[in-house]
Amino acid sequence: MTYTAPPSFTTRPTLQGTFGMTASTHWLATASAQAVLERGGNAFDAAVAGAFVLHVVEPHLNGPGGDMTGVFATAEEPGRPVVLMGQGPAPAAATREHYLAEGLELVPGAGALAAAVPAAVDAWLLLLRDHGTWELADVLAFAIGYARDGHPVVGRVGATIAAVADLFTEHWPTSAALWMPEGRPPREGEVIRNEAYARVLGSLVAAASDGATRAERIDAARLEWRTGLVAQASAAFVAMPHRHSSGLDHAGVITAEDFAGFEAGYEEATTLEFRGHTIAKTGPWGQGPALLQTLAILDGFDDERLDPSTALGAHTILEAQKLAIADREAYYGDADVPLEYLLSAEYTAGRRALIGDEASLEFRPGTVPGVEPFVPPLRTGYTPPALADGSGFAGVGEPTVSREGETRGDTCHIDVVDAAGNMVSATPSGGWLQSSPTIPELGFCLGSRLQMTWLEEGGPSTLQAGKRPRTTLTPTLILKDGRPVVALGSPGGDQQDQWQLLYILRTIVGGYTPQQAIDAPSLHTTSIPGSFWPRTWEPGGAVVEDRLGEDVIADLERRGHVVTRAGDWSLGRLSSVARDNETGVLSAAANPRGAQGYAAGR
């Protein structure tokens, strides 16, 4: 059996050039980042400019009150992938005892009790300070302009607001005032503004106006973010009880001291060698190492079992993902994680042997000597007592593609590479407009990342003050011969690494071009405990694009997979940039699904 050949047609070309490349989930962010490159900025200046634009133009997908993770390599140290850590911890008063006393069984999926300390802005400013070249005012000018003067809104923003309109009007009036100023959601193409957020960004620029050095000026802006208007207004506002996804009103616990006590930072990447390439991910406080575990399991199979377009390959990939993600739930968190053992050849060989001809319907974490695996509640459905009447709560969870394929949005992503070889992949998220009530003075709300923690005792990701929630944000950097060759990522919650895995297999094993890999039919498993409230799972669940083909889908069903057909073009939000280090040719590709992501470059 040979690897499935890619179709000759792609929805758009794989861009090629030698100057610089950008790809992101919104064309305005891509264009802004590329404009920075055109005006002499490097990849890091460009990524930061594009990221702040994403806060403005994709407010249903990310916001300044949220978080981000990145992985990058510099032209000066190309062989050293570095993680940009922009995941804030649980506030000091966010204890499981407090949440249980509030009558909660789960951390809510929306409302300020779900808020970790916002980390995205500080992380972006840290990257700009240490690896960029531009002044803050120039980098933020794009976002300030779109927030102050307006931009034509994409249809999904209005659709998301429509889904939570009743929540806004009945319980979150400050959100209704910002996002429904005429009493209705904005229509596609309508120009919307966020003048309050423009003023917040202006306050950071003003704080950065003094200082002897560029680094001192950016640090002044970081201090303003952590101790000034944002921290004070956030703490005061969320102290007022408001509706949560529990169906009850609770006050938040985050304080100005929580803001002041956090700074973003850098970490060494976690890496794995796969077919002559080095795959670089976050540590196990993110889900990134689960992708590495999946690759390590798959690496022992022949190429034909690594082809997502065949029944045998799709089955093998789905089963490997279930095993790796079960370990994610059992062992990952902001804790002492036995990652070296989980990635070892001996351990992954044992996991590989568990993959049979039939779909597993079980939750199967592995056994690590001396470590008790945490087994989370395996709920197939959950309704809080306060919502026992069956009423839903539209503002919960990381917005992503539903199991039926309906696109309600995603997170965001941006990749940039410049001619010098600087390369960055970053996934900003959280703080989307449906996370919690809008803070009027700021024009944004806090995030809801703490919903990824458990209230059960003894787990590596049990809620604990000062600990980071185990995030789903998981950008990827790929190196070859000690130099970066691909920056890659996708929105999509628990699906992020599942969709990236298909890209990695199709490009490295199957020889696809980046755009061919992004366009190819996608699939993922839902036979895992979800990271988002209400944290349910679907034993044997598999979601596929119909383009996978009737024969393949029927074979998966015969093997016991509970298949949901998601339509032809519904799964995956991938983008990537790449560099051929022998020729210096740069490339970029972006996702056509949703008609929103774009790549640009020359």
Side-chain angles (χ1 to χ4, degrees), residues 381-555:
Y382 177 75
T383 301
L387 297 177
D389 62 356
S391 62
F393 191 88
V396 303
E398 183 171 44
T400 186
V401 179
S402 74
R403 67 184 301 272
E404 291 79 18
E406 177 193 2
T407 304
R408 297 178 303 186
D410 293 288
T411 306
C412 301
H413 188 77
I414 187 168
D415 304 296
V416 186
V417 60
D418 62 28
N422 298 301
M423 188 179 290
V424 57
S425 172
T427 308
S429 186
W432 42 77
L433 60 84
Q434 62 274 30
S435 294
S436 63
T438 296
I439 302 163
E441 304 97 313
L442 307 182
F444 61 85
C445 59
L446 300 184
S448 54
R449 191 62 60 180
L450 291 187
Q451 68 184 289
M452 296 185 175
T453 63
W454 295 100
L455 295 181
E456 285 72 19
E457 288 188 276
S461 57
T462 293
L463 177 65
Q464 186 176 343
K467 293 286 189 178
R468 292 170 291 184
R470 196 271 305 142
T471 182
T472 52
L473 305 181
T474 178
T476 301
L477 199 72
I478 302 177
L479 296 86
K480 187 175 183 181
D481 300 326
R483 302 176 71 185
V485 292
V486 175
L488 167 70
S490 174
D494 289 314
Q495 288 78 54
Q496 289 182 26
D497 271 338
Q498 298 195 59
W499 295 334
Q500 291 181 71
L501 171 68
L502 307 182
Y503 178 103
I504 291 170
L505 295 176
R506 282 174 166 140
T507 54
I508 293 178
V509 182
Y512 286 40
T513 66
Q515 194 63 50
Q516 287 172 339
I518 288 173
D519 284 358
S522 193
L523 72 157
H524 64 264
T525 181
T526 54
S527 188
I528 56 175
S531 294
F532 295 90
W533 189 92
R535 313 225 48 189
T536 57
W537 80 314
E538 300 173 351
V543 184
V544 304
E545 287 186 325
D546 292 39
R547 292 183 297 123
L548 198 60
E550 292 296 330
D551 291 345
V552 173
I553 294 172
D555 192 305

Side-chain angles (χ1 to χ4, degrees), residues 270 272 281-284 286-297 320-329 332 339 342-343 470 474 494 497-498 501:
T270 304
L272 177 82
K281 303 292 288 184
T282 70
Q287 70 170 328
L291 172 63
L292 304 184
Q293 283 191 247
T294 309
L295 287 170
I297 293 169
Q321 288 174 330
K322 293 178 195 176
L323 294 169
I325 297 174
D327 282 347
R328 180 194 78 177
E329 294 303 314
Y332 287 20
L339 196 53
L342 293 173
L343 291 171
R470 196 271 305 142
T474 178
D494 289 314
D497 271 338
Q498 298 195 59
L501 171 68

Side-chain angles (χ1 to χ4, degrees), residues 24 45 65 73 86 121 166 196 221 241 281 325 330 348 361-363 383 386 393 404 438 451 544 548 575 588 591:
S24 86
D45 299 314
V121 168
D166 290 345
K281 303 292 288 184
I325 297 174
T348 53
L361 306 184
E362 301 176 1
F363 177 75
T383 301
F393 191 88
E404 291 79 18
T438 296
Q451 68 184 289
V544 304
L548 198 60
S575 65
N591 168 60

Side-chain angles (χ1 to χ4, degrees), residues 299-312:
D299 202 17
F301 289 116
D302 293 335
D303 288 1
E304 67 178 13
R305 299 197 68 167
L306 276 60
D307 185 350
S309 297
T310 67
L312 179 62

Side-chain angles (χ1 to χ4, degrees), residues 338-397:
L339 196 53
E340 184 176 351
Y341 185 81
L342 293 173
L343 291 171
S344 68
E346 175 187 6
Y347 178 78
T348 53
R351 302 295 274 163
R352 188 180 308 120
L354 295 175
I355 299 176
D357 294 331
E358 303 296 321
S360 171
L361 306 184
E362 301 176 1
F363 177 75
R364 300 189 290 176
T367 301
V368 177
V371 182
E372 182 71 23
F374 173 70
V375 178
L378 297 174
R379 302 180 177 95
T380 55
Y382 177 75
T383 301
L387 297 177
D389 62 356
S391 62
F393 191 88
V396 303

